[in-house]
């Protein structure tokens, strides 16, 4: 009887230990994923902003061809090796991850999910047109059991938005702004409800120029192509330029030089290594800090 009791006790203890070492969650692609407790070796390609915000350092970081990265995060990730954005299986395997966080459903189409799942538990994070950075932060925090840290990140961010609106009210209220990305001699404009548009118009309270409203009606991504001829219609007090093409003929054109914000010295130029091309709590925080510095 004593031996039977001891075996029973050991069995119960084993079950309890197992239950506290992992949890099962349903991801954005309806997979039931068993998440290890306190994973140590995480790959979350293009989700590094959220990981860093939650005080997590991944074992590898997103890149395109090993010569492009999220420059604004490198103060935290400078020593982290790079893995290509499409997550080649062999490369993933070489890092011996204990958890894979996947940026969007398309990355695990076909048999990709099954292949990744053989390497480590694979969780597809909330994604899609209507999913905000807050939604994604909450989802990742749930997976990593860091809801408290996520709440603090949001609280700090909301406080920054509030103080910025108060401190610079006279330079924001009634003033319009547009965000333009120039690359390969082509221009792309941020839509009203996406990326930095969401931040500038809906959180900080800048006015939306008519051209931005027009483009936003048919926008299917954060950035929408805009021709130089169409850009001539832009009437914005401030123009934020994300310049990935320093020598573009674009800037020599009379249309560009005649834009209101350019003529009045209200062109705010940032390079491609800044956070303006990205999403996430850190990206948005750095955008707000950039706006503050330009308005001072």
């Amino acid at each position: 009887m004593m031996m039977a009791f001891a075996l029973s006790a050991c069995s119960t203890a084993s079950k309890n230990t197992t239950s506290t070492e992992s949890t099962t969650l349903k991801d954005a692609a309806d997979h039931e994923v068993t998440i290890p407790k306190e994973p140590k070796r995480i790959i979350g390609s293009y989700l590094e902003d959220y990981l860093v915000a939650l005080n997590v350092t991944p074992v590898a970081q997103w890149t395109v061809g090993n010569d492009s990265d999220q420059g604004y995060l490198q103060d935290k990730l400078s020593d982290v090796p790079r893995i290509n954005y499409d997550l080649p299986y062999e490369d993933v395997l070489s890092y011996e991850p204990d958890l894979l966080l996947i940026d969007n459903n398309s990355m695990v189409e076909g048999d990709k999910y099954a292949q990744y799942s053989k390497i480590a538990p694979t969780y597809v994070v909330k994604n899609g047109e209507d999913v905000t950075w807050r939604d994604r932060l909450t989802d990742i925090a749930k997976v990593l059991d860091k809801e408290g840290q996520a709440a603090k990140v949001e609280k700090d961010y909301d406080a920054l938005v509030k103080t910025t609106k108060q401190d610079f009210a006279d330079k924001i209220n009634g003033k319009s702004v547009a965000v333009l990305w120039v690359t390969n001699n082509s221009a792309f404009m941020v839509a009203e409800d996406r990326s930095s548009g969401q931040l500038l118009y809906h959180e900080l309270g800048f006015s939306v120029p008519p051209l931005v409203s027009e483009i936003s009606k048919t926008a299917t991504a954060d950035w929408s192509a805009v021709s130089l001829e169409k850009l001539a219609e832009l009437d914005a007090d401030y123009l934020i330029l994300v310049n990935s093409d320093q020598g573009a003929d674009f800037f020599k054109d009379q249309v560009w030089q005649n834009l209101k914000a350019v003529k009045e010295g209200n062109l705010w130029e940032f390079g491609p290594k800044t956070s303006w091309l990205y999403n996430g709590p850190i990206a948005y925080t750095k955008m707000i800090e950039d706006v503050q510095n330009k308005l001072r």
Side-chain angles (χ1 to χ4, degrees):
M1 283 182 64
M2 289 296 291
M3 184 167 288
F5 177 78
L7 287 172
S8 175
C10 286
S11 174
T12 302
S14 175
K15 288 179 182 176
N16 288 341
T17 299
T18 301
S19 68
T20 58
E21 287 179 351
S22 64
T23 185
T24 300
L25 299 172
K26 181 174 284 190
D27 72 4
D30 285 332
H31 304 116
E32 294 282 350
V33 186
T34 300
I35 310 294
K37 183 175 176 62
E38 297 182 1
K40 303 297 183 187
R41 300 185 61 79
I42 300 172
I43 293 178
S45 181
Y46 214 58
L47 296 168
E48 290 84 1
D49 189 305
Y50 304 91
L51 293 176
V52 172
L54 294 172
N55 298 325
V56 173
T57 301
V59 294
Q61 64 171 313
W62 173 91
T63 185
V64 178
N66 208 42
D67 60 1
S68 178
D69 58 34
Q70 296 160 97
Y72 72 101
L73 293 174
Q74 294 314 302
D75 59 333
K76 300 291 187 182
L77 300 179
S78 59
D79 296 329
V80 176
R82 288 158 175 74
I83 188 167
N84 209 48
Y85 72 96
D86 56 352
L87 296 179
Y89 301 125
E90 294 78 9
D91 293 350
V92 172
L93 189 60
S94 71
Y95 286 105
E96 301 180 346
D98 51 16
L99 178 64
L100 295 178
L101 297 175
I102 302 297
D103 177 54
N104 61 73
N105 294 45
S106 64
M107 289 186 67
V108 291
E109 290 176 343
D111 66 347
K112 287 184 177 180
Y113 185 84
Q115 295 291 332
Y116 288 136
S117 294
K118 291 176 183 176
I119 300 173
T122 302
Y123 184 94
V124 182
V125 175
K126 279 187 178 180
N127 62 95
E129 284 191 20
D130 298 325
V131 175
T132 67
W133 69 257
R134 294 174 190 265
D135 297 329
R136 284 158 75 80
L137 179 68
T138 299
D139 197 25
I140 294 171
K142 178 179 63 177
V143 172
L144 301 180
D145 194 22
K146 287 182 172 285
E147 290 95 336
Q149 176 64 19
K152 182 181 184 303
V153 169
E154 288 201 52
K155 182 178 179 181
D156 291 346
Y157 175 81
D158 290 338
L160 179 63
V161 170
K162 183 177 180 179
T163 57
T164 302
K165 290 177 70 174
Q166 291 173 343
D167 294 348
F168 299 95
D170 59 326
K171 297 180 179 179
I172 292 177
N173 296 340
K175 298 290 186 178
S176 59
V177 65
V179 188
L180 206 66
W181 176 30
V182 174
T183 181
N184 296 324
N185 212 38
S186 298
F188 301 84
M189 185 170 284
V190 162
E192 179 179 347
D193 298 317
R194 295 173 179 267
S195 188
S196 55
Q198 165 67 30
L199 164 63
L200 294 166
Y201 306 126
H202 298 284
E203 295 192 44
L204 292 182
F206 284 98
S207 299
V208 185
L211 180 60
V212 174
S213 294
E214 179 183 336
I215 286 176
S216 299
K217 290 175 183 175
T218 56
T220 57
D222 289 354
W223 301 91
S224 299
V226 56
S227 67
L228 193 58
E229 291 74 21
K230 196 66 178 174
L231 193 62
E233 300 175 15
L234 179 62
D235 181 20
D237 295 302
Y238 307 113
L239 178 56
I240 295 170
L241 169 66
V242 185
N243 192 353
S244 298
D245 195 356
Q246 292 288 341
D249 294 334
F250 187 92
F251 302 118
K252 301 171 187 173
D253 195 283
Q254 199 65 39
V255 168
W256 173 261
Q257 296 174 6
N258 283 338
L259 291 176
K260 177 182 177 181
V262 175
K263 287 197 300 184
E264 296 181 358
N266 289 322
L267 174 66
W268 304 345
E269 185 172 349
F270 302 100
K273 291 288 187 180
T274 56
S275 70
W276 288 89
L277 295 178
Y278 302 97
N279 287 283
I282 297 176
Y284 273 50
T285 296
K286 289 184 177 292
M287 288 180 211
I288 294 175
E289 291 170 350
D290 285 341
V291 170
Q292 288 181 341
N293 290 332
K294 293 298 184 180
L295 290 178
R296 284 195 171 97

